[in-house]
Structures are given as C-alpha cells and as structure tokens.
Amino acid sequence: MKKLNLFIAATIMVAAQSLTAQDNNDTNVATHQLDVNVPELAILDIYDANTGFEAGPILFDMTNVSLVGTNAEAGLYAFQDIDYQNLYLNYTSVTGQAGSGFDVTRQIDVQFEPGSTFPGNLDLRITPEAPVIVANGGTVNSAGIVTPGGVALGATTPIGTDAMLVNSIESVYTGDESFGVKLTYTLEQNGNFSGYEAGLYQATLRYTLSDL
C-alpha cells in the first residue's frame, strides 16, 4: 500500500512540474511582430477648374486678340491680352529620411515635349501660386516651394528642356481638384517681332513629379 501511495505521489509531482514549466512560458503579456511596408510614391495630375475635368487641349486663339483690346489698334500688338487661368497641379508624394535609401525631396519640372512647335520669339509664361493643401495633407514646407515668377517655355526654355516649377517637395497629398499649385498661362514676347509668324502651332506640355 505504501508503494502505491509513493507511486501516486510521484505521478502528481511530475504532473505539477509539467504545468509549472508550461506556465513559465506564458505571462500576462503577449507579443508578436507587425511589419508595415511604406513604398515611395509620386503621382501627379492637372485639374482644369474651367471645365471641371483633368486638363485637355487649350487654345490661345490670337485671332480674338487681334479683334479686341490693345491689338485692335493699328501699330500695336499686346500678348498680355490673352491668358488661361484656374489650372491646378494635384500631387501625392511619399519620401524618406536622409540615409534611408529613399528620395528625400522631389520637384516638379515642366517642358514642351520634343516634337512640339511654338511661335518664334515668344514664351509661354507659367506662373505658379504657393500650394494650398487639404487639412492634414502635409505642411507648408512638405508641399514644396514654387519658383518665384514661374518659368518661361519657348524662346527662354527651348522645346524638350525641363524647367523647375516646384522644388523641395516631401511627404504630402495636396487634395484633388482645386487644391495644390494653381497655375496661370500667359504669353510674352521675347525677341524681335519679325520672328513671330502666322501658323497653327501645337505644343504638348509635360509636367513631371520626380521619382529618382
């Protein structure tokens, strides 16, 4: 009988030790790993508030300019009588910290694409306004800095050559439609008027948010 009691006691002791060992692996705190992958991002579009859609073909019809305003007077020709307003650059950018291997800042460049045509001794002036962004979409700094006075494409910046319009863009989303960088297009004479000749010219504007 004593042997049986000793056997039962030994069995209970082994079971108790097993439970104790198992309990030592669990506490009132549990953990596991969570990974979040945040890729770089650079996307851009152009909204035309005049039409309510993404920007399409824009016509500068100098025939109308010649019939009204300053240009209706013989001996004068004023390019400033025509412009196009209410275009907006909308963009989203995700950048990284210095040394992370990701882009730290981005910029927006614009050019007349190769193959474009444009009147001689004339510039298209693109004037940007400081970015306006949605709440919590970024900061004044992360939205970027516009080039003061804008850029001039044509005589000043030849076809196929980039001009920097916005720089120092970090992580930001501007908002859609009438948010981001507002643009105004105007024409400026740049050179002798003798190089400005009649014709139908077609140029394609290309905006690029850098993704190096």
Side-chain angles (χ1 to χ4, degrees):
M1 189 70 178
K2 289 183 179 180
K3 288 183 178 180
L4 180 60
N5 289 341
L6 288 173
F7 175 75
I8 293 172
T11 301
I12 292 172
M13 185 177 296
V14 170
Q17 289 175 345
S18 176
L19 289 173
T20 301
Q22 183 177 359
D23 288 343
N24 286 341
N25 292 331
D26 292 332
T27 68
N28 65 326
V29 177
T31 65
H32 72 85
Q33 182 172 314
L34 172 66
D35 296 332
V36 178
N37 179 38
V38 180
E40 291 183 285
L41 188 62
I43 54 177
L44 170 74
D45 67 22
I46 309 168
Y47 174 74
D48 189 341
N50 301 295
T51 64
F53 298 98
E54 288 193 16
I58 295 171
L59 173 63
F60 275 9
D61 190 349
M62 307 309 289
T63 303
N64 295 332
V65 175
S66 300
L67 297 176
V68 297
T70 305
N71 293 341
E73 181 66 32
L76 301 176
Y77 200 98
F79 290 103
Q80 65 268 24
D81 283 353
I82 190 168
D83 63 15
Y84 198 88
Q85 303 182 35
N86 300 318
L87 294 168
Y88 293 85
L89 287 174
N90 306 144
Y91 48 95
T92 302
S93 168
V94 178
T95 58
Q97 298 180 349
S100 66
F102 297 115
D103 292 341
V104 177
T105 62
R106 293 195 166 88
Q107 65 188 47
I108 297 175
D109 296 320
V110 61
Q111 67 165 249
F112 282 149
E113 282 192 345
S116 297
T117 58
F118 196 68
N121 294 342
L122 189 68
D123 276 330
L124 174 69
R125 171 70 59 180
I126 304 174
T127 305
E129 297 183 11
V132 175
I133 59 177
V134 295
N136 297 320
T139 66
V140 173
N141 291 332
S142 70
I145 302 170
V146 300
T147 299
V151 300
L153 305 182
T156 299
T157 306
I159 291 170
T161 303
D162 279 328
M164 186 175 66
L165 193 66
V166 188
N167 66 82
S168 302
I169 298 170
E170 299 174 357
S171 289
V172 64
Y173 59 91
T174 60
D176 199 13
E177 299 185 351
S178 299
F179 284 95
V181 176
K182 184 179 181 181
L183 305 176
T184 298
Y185 291 174
T186 52
L187 297 176
E188 297 177 349
Q189 182 177 346
N190 186 351
N192 195 286
F193 194 74
S194 63
Y196 175 75
E197 298 177 333
L200 176 60
Y201 299 85
Q202 292 184 324
T204 299
L205 284 156
R206 182 171 69 192
Y207 290 85
T208 304
L209 175 61
S210 64
D211 186 18
L212 305 176

